[in-house]
Amino acid sequence: MVLNNLTKLYAATAEFQSLSASGVRAFTIEGISPSAFPFIVATSFNTLKQQTIVVTTDYHTMNRFVADISAFVNEDTIFPFPALEVLPYEYVNPSSSIERERITALYQLLSGKPVIVVATIESLLRAIPHKEFFLKKGININKAEEYPFEVIIETLINYGYERETRVDRYGQFSVKGGIIDIYLPNAANPVRLDFFGDTCESIRYFDPMTQVSLEHVQTITIYPRREILLSPSEKEKIQKELIRGDSNLNQQAVSSLQKNNVPGIYDLFPLAIETDTLISFAQNPHIFLCDPGQLKAKLSEIERTYHQLYNHKKETTFCLPASQLLHSDSYQHIEPQAVKLSPFITDSNNVWQLKSIPSFQGRIQDVRSECAKRIEEGWHIVVSTSFEGQARRLYDLFNEFKPQEQFDTYNPNKHFGIIISNLHEGIEIGSIKTCIITDHEIFGKSYRKKKHFKQKYSKPIDTFLELSPGDYVVHINHGIGIFKAIERMSAGGIERDFLVIEYAEGDKLYVSLDHINMVQRYVGLDGRQPRIDALGKKSAWNRIKERVQQSVEEIAQDLLKIYSQRKALKGFQFPPDIMWQEEFESKFEYEETPDQITAIEDVKDDMEKSQPMDRLVCGDVGFGKTEVAIRAAFKAVMAGKQVAILVPTTVLAMQHYNTFTRRFADYPVTIEMLSRFKSQLQIKSIKERLKAGAIDIIIGTHALLAKDVHFKNLGIVVIDEEQRFGVKHKEHLKKLRLLVDVLTLSATPIPRTLHMA
């Protein structure tokens, strides 16, 4: 919601006031860019704080809308409601991620809180159980009240939750002694219920990775994991209808009804449950239809598909008519009361000044000219990108406009700003004289930074759960022992489970499950048994820890000495990027990855400092490390410095030579290669020209480290796969690091390479 302030400014305009005066009902806005749809909805939501339902054409458009509107409103208030994304009558269920998004959106609407639910036309039409079906399923758990512990576990199983040893994703629960962890569908983090007997002593949300408590609450409501949870009587109704048929599919469905997750239940539940649509779950919502023309075309396509599939399947298996799965008339019901957002013009009285931004296709000077012209006319310019590396690049490119250095806030008082947001396209907002330009319009390329990555953490508790009596374990404070058992004991008047670890001379250590992160499985050489440590002062573990600590301190002192010397050195401070650098980078034929741009900006920032650069760029083969080196080399050459590219093999030298030659073809840069592919006469000539400064970029193997190789004005050394060089060569490279900027590229981040960086 970095651009939340823009919606406040826009809410005061005559354009928006006309919408507000209509009660956000039965209103049409025409001739606006589709990129403005989220901005209009966000302004309405931020101003009126009313439940809002947005209807889009398909899954892709829905996700794009969700990403765009997050730039203007709090992300915690935005919920997608996708279609099932499976064909009807195929008797398969949607993915767990779609199930979660759907049921979360439904329960958010039922809560009555002001939220934005973004749906597709299909998810709007598709039949779902009526809201009373959902309301009666919620179970409230309050702190300090009593609940049958085993009944809660049974209820979770009946509600479709999967019992696991550790919860790390939606729809799971685990039981550890008197603790129940649940990952609810409507929560960002799992919740932990701590029971003493049948009394709920505490309720708190926690981080599933670190297990650290985040927030204590007084009450929670447990909802079913799935959208459709059948009671025994409802199962019986469906079963009777299916038994009438005699197909194999029907027989399989009858047998699967005894389970909670029935394949194809979304195609069968209308047999036993009254149906409704998404709209009925909201309380007096504001409804926005994005591009009604496209929505009607999509509606016709969906109806046609459902009817065709029904006619094809009904002869061989039991199928409900399409009219029972689709509420086609719901669109006609909401259309008269909805706000229609259309890019086309049919009535000039309803045209708002919200236009798209043309693409500059990497012509940076044109962008500068347009921004300067707009600012002179009193406009505000907001440049948006989805990741920090690109933001820093844009800051350097448009530094003349003095943008703010923080990218997570927007200052409406400044005429030029750079922000990080998920916007896909820009908007020209004429009524408040503001232009939002994305990096897509500036460079002509779409840069999308992944919002979430899979993270790997150590999981001590998983290791514990895999233990068997007799396994060796390591306690961080007491060393190696033998796992014996798990015993339930009373400590401080509270019963807890304890891990029992046996040490030398039969001594035993009891570790509470609350401190299980201090214990790990012992990992050693196969077939070799470790020495068991003793508890107390006799333990050799303490002496080992002291020696390790001493070694760490020595390494730290060495590193401190090296870096203090490096800080004291004064290297060449490269100037900021010039126009040729911008032009050179814009000619890159591929779309840079966000991490690639971040690496490029980090390298160029280091080069512009007074201390010599020593940076390691690590990435897999084919992920663009060479382009990082090419741009650093271009920057050095433009500053009048020479560049040395050092590679371990002749073949790699030839590959780099071809790549550099192609990229620098349009510029007066001299590039040569020094390797065994050259004759002795050619090598002699190259060395003489290198010494005279006639060669800008030299690419070679370890031959570049020979004593008779001299540079006139060396500025940067690029080392590719340093770990493949010998010890003597590495000592030479260490000396280079004290003299010039060094950029190391590696696809194998072994400790030695990281240590030298």
Side-chain angles (χ1 to χ4, degrees):
M1 56 181 296
V2 64
L3 294 176
N4 176 271
N5 286 335
L6 273 186
T7 65
K8 295 178 181 178
L9 293 174
Y10 190 67
T13 64
E15 285 180 348
F16 183 78
Q17 288 297 321
S18 63
L19 172 63
S20 183
S22 73
V24 196
R25 297 279 192 278
F27 198 87
T28 301
I29 306 171
E30 298 183 337
I32 57 175
S33 167
S35 60
F37 294 173
F39 178 67
I40 295 172
V41 175
T43 304
S44 170
F45 180 79
N46 288 338
T47 306
L48 304 174
K49 297 297 181 184
Q50 184 81 12
Q51 284 195 344
T52 301
I53 294 178
V54 181
V55 185
T56 61
T57 52
D58 53 38
Y59 186 75
H60 171 74
T61 310
M62 178 197 72
N63 284 328
R64 184 167 172 147
F65 191 100
V66 168
D68 286 346
I69 200 171
S70 67
F72 305 105
V73 302
N74 191 329
E75 287 189 42
D76 294 337
T77 62
I78 311 165
F79 299 93
F81 186 73
L84 298 175
E85 295 301 314
V86 293
L87 288 173
Y89 311 120
E90 292 295 329
Y91 292 95
V92 292
N93 287 341
S95 66
S96 60
S97 61
I98 285 181
E99 281 188 319
R100 179 185 185 181
E101 287 180 339
R102 287 173 61 90
I103 197 166
T104 300
L106 291 175
Y107 280 120
Q108 289 295 332
L109 288 175
L110 288 174
S111 72
K113 295 183 292 186
V115 294
I116 300 172
V117 172
V118 186
T120 68
I121 183 66
E122 184 176 359
S123 64
L124 178 76
L125 302 177
R126 184 72 189 245
I128 57 177
H130 63 95
K131 66 179 181 180
E132 292 301 324
F133 174 84
F134 290 92
L135 288 172
K136 65 184 181 183
K137 302 289 184 182
I139 298 176
N140 293 321
I141 303 290
N142 300 313
K143 181 181 176 181
E145 293 188 7
E146 291 191 0
Y147 303 90
F149 189 80
E150 295 299 328
V151 172
I152 292 178
I153 296 173
E154 184 180 349
T155 301
L156 288 170
I157 294 172
N158 292 334
Y159 271 20
Y161 289 85
E162 299 171 1
R163 184 166 182 171
E164 301 288 346
T165 54
R166 171 192 176 104
V167 298
D168 54 17
R169 68 176 185 272
Y170 145 77
Q172 295 179 339
F173 81 99
S174 69
V175 181
K176 298 186 285 288
I179 295 174
I180 303 177
D181 292 343
I182 316 169
Y183 214 136
L184 298 170
N186 59 333
N189 290 292
V191 66
R192 176 163 291 163
L193 309 178
D194 197 345
F195 282 84
F196 178 64
D198 286 342
T199 303
C200 182
E201 291 190 324
S202 71
I203 305 173
R204 60 188 184 273
Y205 289 98
F206 67 96
D207 188 306
M209 295 299 179
T210 64
Q211 301 291 302
V212 174
S213 296
L214 301 175
E215 178 188 6
H216 287 261
V217 294
Q218 297 297 314
T219 182
I220 62 156
T221 302
I222 299 176
Y223 293 112
R225 176 187 182 272
R226 295 189 176 88
E227 196 173 322
I228 301 174
L229 185 70
L230 301 176
S231 66
S233 61
E234 291 162 346
K235 290 180 181 179
E236 187 178 351
K237 284 183 183 179
I238 296 177
Q239 188 171 340
K240 287 180 180 179
E241 293 294 334
L242 291 175
I243 289 175
R244 295 178 184 177
D246 58 358
S247 70
N248 290 332
L249 179 61
N250 286 6
Q251 298 305 317
Q252 293 171 8
V254 169
S255 61
S256 67
L257 277 171
Q258 305 309 316
K259 306 174 184 177
N260 286 319
N261 189 19
V262 182
I265 190 61
Y266 290 86
D267 296 331
L268 298 172
F269 80 88
L271 290 169
I273 302 170
E274 183 183 344
T275 64
D276 215 324
T277 63
L278 175 69
I279 298 296
S280 66
F281 284 69
Q283 300 178 14
N284 194 28
H286 293 155
I287 302 171
F288 289 84
L289 304 179
C290 298
D291 199 342
Q294 288 289 334
L295 290 177
K296 289 180 180 178
K298 189 69 176 179
L299 170 59
S300 299
E301 178 188 332
I302 292 169
E303 288 179 324
R304 184 168 58 253
T305 300
Y306 272 65
H307 285 292
Q308 287 176 350
L309 289 173
Y310 171 71
N311 291 329
H312 176 70
K313 290 276 189 177
K314 67 179 181 179
E315 301 298 331
T316 57
T317 188
F318 178 86
C319 295
L320 291 177
S323 59
Q324 289 187 252
L325 300 183
L326 281 179
H327 288 259
S328 300
D329 58 344
S330 61
Y331 183 82
Q332 285 74 25
H333 176 70
I334 66 170
E335 187 179 24
Q337 57 180 316
V339 177
K340 304 177 190 66
L341 307 176
S342 175
F344 305 105
I345 300 175
T346 58
D347 184 353
S348 58
N349 293 324
N350 293 327
V351 178
W352 287 15
Q353 298 302 309
L354 295 168
K355 302 177 182 178
S356 59
I357 302 294
S359 176
F360 292 92
Q361 295 295 325
R363 299 186 298 274
I364 304 300
Q365 193 55 43
D366 290 353
V367 182
R368 288 198 184 101
S369 300
E370 181 67 20
C371 290
K373 176 186 173 185
R374 296 269 187 170
I375 291 173
E376 189 176 343
E377 294 172 353
W379 284 69
H380 293 261
I381 308 296
V382 182
V383 179
S384 172
T385 181
S386 60
F387 56 101
E388 186 180 357
Q390 186 79 300
R392 287 159 49 201
R393 179 187 184 188
L394 292 166
Y395 181 88
D396 292 338
L397 289 174
F398 301 106
N399 194 38
E400 63 190 90
F401 299 115
K402 297 180 173 55
Q404 81 278 7
E405 295 183 3
Q406 292 78 30
F407 307 129
D408 56 350
T409 58
Y410 167 65
N411 184 356
N413 296 320
K414 292 186 72 71
H415 280 279
F416 191 95
I418 299 171
I419 57 142
I420 295 176
S421 77
N422 292 320
L423 284 174
H424 289 79
E425 294 180 4
I427 327 166
E428 178 187 303
I429 312 170
S431 56
I432 58 173
K433 283 198 163 185
T434 300
C435 269
I436 303 174
I437 307 174
T438 67
D439 51 358
H440 170 67
E441 281 98 25
I442 293 174
F443 299 107
K445 303 172 185 177
S446 295
Y447 302 98
R448 290 295 107 198
K449 180 76 171 178
K450 280 188 178 179
K451 190 174 179 182
H452 300 289
F453 294 89
K454 288 184 178 179
Q455 294 178 305
K456 293 185 178 179
Y457 296 85
S458 62
K459 297 181 180 178
I461 198 166
D462 284 352
T463 306
F464 144 66
L465 289 165
E466 295 170 1
L467 288 176
S468 301
D471 287 347
Y472 292 101
V473 294
V474 182
H475 190 284
I476 192 170
N477 291 330
H478 302 288
I480 301 173
I482 301 174
F483 168 64
K484 286 297 183 180
I486 298 175
E487 293 184 7
R488 190 165 183 83
M489 302 171 62
S490 178
I494 299 176
E495 285 194 353
R496 287 285 185 268
D497 288 329
F498 288 84
L499 196 73
V500 183
I501 304 174
E502 184 177 275
Y503 285 88
E505 300 180 5
D507 292 341
K508 291 183 179 180
L509 178 69
Y510 293 86
V511 182
S512 168
L513 290 187
D514 295 338
H515 299 107
I516 194 63
N517 60 323
M518 302 183 75
V519 180
Q520 291 275 12
R521 178 194 288 273
Y522 171 79
V523 179
L525 296 175
D526 291 339
R528 181 177 297 181
Q529 293 185 351
R531 185 179 65 179
I532 305 301
D533 287 302
L535 291 178
K537 296 182 179 179
K538 298 178 290 183
S539 175
W541 181 256
N542 292 328
R543 294 194 298 273
I544 294 172
K545 286 174 63 178
E546 288 173 2
R547 289 200 301 269
V548 171
Q549 184 174 355
Q550 185 178 355
S551 298
V552 170
E553 289 175 355
E554 290 175 358
I555 294 173
Q557 289 175 359
D558 290 342
L559 288 174
L560 187 62
K561 182 179 179 181
I562 291 170
Y563 278 94
S564 62
Q565 290 177 347
R566 188 178 293 175
K567 282 287 184 182
L569 291 172
K570 292 294 181 183
F572 179 76
Q573 189 170 358
F574 288 88
D577 290 353
I578 61 174
M579 190 182 301
W580 276 19
Q581 181 88 28
E582 299 164 8
E583 180 186 275
F584 178 79
E585 293 182 357
S586 68
K587 289 184 177 181
F588 184 49
E589 61 266 39
Y590 303 106
E591 182 179 307
E592 302 98 328
T593 65
D595 289 334
Q596 192 178 19
I597 289 177
T598 300
I600 290 167
E601 291 303 307
D602 286 341
V603 169
K604 292 199 292 186
D605 286 348
D606 284 353
M607 292 175 70
E608 292 175 13
K609 294 177 182 176
S610 58
Q611 288 84 23
M613 174 179 70
D614 189 7
R615 179 170 287 274
L616 169 65
V617 175
C618 185
D620 209 346
V621 176
F623 275 64
K625 299 187 300 295
T626 304
E627 180 63 20
V628 178
I630 285 173
R631 296 191 186 185
F634 189 92
K635 186 178 182 71
V637 172
M638 291 300 103
K641 292 288 186 177
Q642 291 175 297
V643 180
I645 312 293
L646 187 61
V647 297
T649 65
T650 305
V651 173
L652 190 55
M654 179 61 74
Q655 289 176 351
H656 279 325
Y657 177 75
N658 292 334
T659 302
F660 273 71
T661 302
R662 186 181 70 254
R663 283 287 277 127
F664 284 82
D666 297 334
Y667 298 89
V669 177
T670 304
I671 304 173
E672 281 291 356
M673 180 181 67
L674 192 63
S675 72
R676 60 184 176 85
F677 286 165
K678 301 287 185 179
S679 66
Q680 289 300 318
L681 188 62
Q682 289 175 319
I683 291 174
K684 182 180 179 182
S685 173
I686 289 172
K687 290 180 179 178
E688 290 174 353
R689 291 163 58 208
L690 193 62
K691 185 176 181 180
I695 296 175
D696 298 307
I697 300 175
I698 182 71
I699 301 170
T701 58
H702 59 276
L704 281 178
L705 301 177
K707 293 182 179 179
D708 61 342
V709 175
H710 302 284
F711 295 85
K712 181 180 180 180
N713 194 13
L714 181 62
I716 182 172
V717 176
V718 179
I719 308 170
D720 199 356
E721 300 296 345
E722 180 178 4
Q723 73 278 358
R724 295 172 64 180
F725 288 93
V727 175
K728 288 185 178 180
H729 298 145
K730 286 181 178 293
E731 291 302 318
H732 192 98
L733 296 177
K734 279 186 179 180
K735 294 177 183 178
L736 280 178
R737 283 178 160 82
L738 300 177
L739 304 173
V740 296
D741 285 5
V742 176
L743 174 63
T744 305
L745 311 178
S746 179
T748 51
I750 62 175
R752 183 171 56 184
T753 303
L754 294 172
H755 176 68
M756 291 194 70

